[in-house]
Amino acid sequence: MNVGMIGLGRMGGPMARRVLSAGHQVHVYDIRAAAREALSAAGASPCRDPSELAAASDVVVSSLPGPQEVDQVMRGPGGVLAAVRRNAVILETSTIAPAQSQALAAEFAARGACYLDAPVSGGVEGAASGTLAVMVGGDAAALARARPVLECFGKRIFHLGPVGAGNGMKLVIQAIFLSQVAAFLEAVALGQESGIALARILEVVAASSAHHPTIGKRYERMLAEDLTPRFEVRAALKDLSLAQDWSRQMGCRTDIVSAVVSAYRRAAEAGLSEKDLIALRNVCGRAG
């Protein structure tokens, strides 16, 4: 297939490489020239804008930071909508609101293309190893056409219903995981305040029912006080805010999520917005 990959960052870059290694003809676009050049060196065809990429692609995969970037890439000048092929499938893997996907799906349908929301979970390691979980909302026939591309980076592909269902499931996952991270870091700070060494806290947690394998990958970095971002505080706030907005639209209470948002906001206000999630520990306990 001719596959267009938009967004070549921590997730999109490894995903694009896996699609390329599977033998597809890959067209790439990123606002950063260095990212385009790196994929070009691996055999991909760089494009000057999303419109050029869309004109050359049967399947377009987008992996972007959030709603504003998605809107610009899809609807903006030189965007995907301006040149999308009839019968093309658009796979939006970014974490955005269900309503945004539903609106985009209608616009693509008017141009004879099919939009699927297909957010992923599994982190950078999952993108590189092809073991991501993919949550899809939209037409089953379009999913069948795009499945060979999704299988390049996704180990399990879940079709959850109409457009927006994949986005909704991703917001559920983010609300769960980011709440777990916040509770873990607050409890660790509590243990440290009591006089227990951080190394001992992590050692015991790792051997207990409180251990979380994904959070556990950050233990060594916590000990080294390494806040280099794998997932930024600001990204957590974006995802949780989307989950809050979605819950309000449905008339649902999210008291715990609201408390978690306050914790991450406190970290952002302390200048830690671009640091990894574990920076939240710096504003817990007495120091917070």
Side-chain angles (χ1 to χ4, degrees):
M1 288 187 188
N2 281 287
V3 181
M5 304 291 300
I6 300 175
L8 307 172
R10 283 199 294 270
M11 294 294 291
M15 288 160 60
R17 289 181 181 278
R18 289 198 62 85
V19 175
L20 191 61
S21 67
H24 298 287
Q25 177 62 48
V26 178
H27 309 270
V28 296
Y29 174 75
D30 192 284
I31 58 173
R32 298 164 302 143
R36 298 195 301 271
E37 290 164 4
L39 266 296
S40 177
S45 301
C47 297
R48 67 177 180 274
D49 58 25
S51 180
E52 181 185 15
L53 179 146
S57 303
D58 303 308
V59 175
V60 176
V61 183
S62 167
S63 176
L64 298 165
Q68 291 183 339
E69 292 83 359
V70 169
D71 194 69
Q72 179 64 28
V73 159
M74 296 299 173
R75 297 186 173 114
V80 174
L81 276 162
V84 66
R85 290 181 174 182
R86 288 191 63 81
N87 298 317
V89 180
I90 313 303
L91 300 172
E92 183 52 76
T93 70
S94 313
T95 302
I96 61 175
Q100 184 175 6
S101 278
Q102 289 157 359
L104 284 168
E107 293 177 54
F108 276 106
R111 288 163 173 77
C114 190
Y115 172 103
L116 303 176
D117 50 306
V120 298
S121 181
V124 176
E125 295 90 347
S129 63
T131 57
L132 294 172
V134 187
M135 298 148 274
V136 182
D139 181 69
L143 171 57
R145 297 206 311 274
R147 186 174 286 272
V149 176
L150 289 173
E151 288 177 342
C152 294
F153 48 81
K155 183 176 182 179
R156 299 194 67 186
I157 299 167
F158 301 91
H159 187 209
L160 297 165
V163 172
N167 294 137
M169 188 67 234
K170 179 61 185 288
L171 295 180
V172 169
I173 288 174
Q174 294 302 84
I176 293 170
F177 175 66
L178 294 170
S179 296
Q180 290 171 328
V181 170
F184 165 78
L185 293 170
E186 185 173 81
V188 167
L190 178 65
Q192 287 184 273
E193 289 287 353
S194 77
I196 307 173
L198 175 60
R200 293 294 280 170
I201 293 171
L202 298 179
E203 179 185 5
V204 175
V205 169
S208 75
S209 60
H211 177 64
H212 188 295
T214 304
I215 299 174
K217 294 176 182 178
R218 285 176 160 86
Y219 288 179
E220 290 187 8
R221 300 176 72 220
M222 290 175 65
L223 291 168
E225 297 186 1
D226 178 4
L227 302 182
T228 304
R230 292 163 63 92
F231 193 89
E232 298 96 338
V233 168
R234 64 181 177 184
L237 273 172
K238 182 266 293 182
D239 290 356
L240 290 169
S241 295
L242 287 171
Q244 280 189 308
D245 292 343
W246 185 47
S247 72
R248 281 192 286 266
Q249 291 166 14
M250 295 186 292
C252 296
R253 291 183 58 174
T254 51
D255 298 340
I256 294 172
V257 171
S258 296
V260 172
V261 168
S262 296
Y264 283 106
R265 186 169 291 128
R266 193 163 67 248
E269 291 170 351
L272 301 170
S273 182
E274 297 183 6
K275 301 299 183 182
D276 189 74
L277 297 177
I278 60 174
L280 184 60
R281 183 170 61 100
N282 294 14
V283 295
C284 293
R286 292 180 187 172

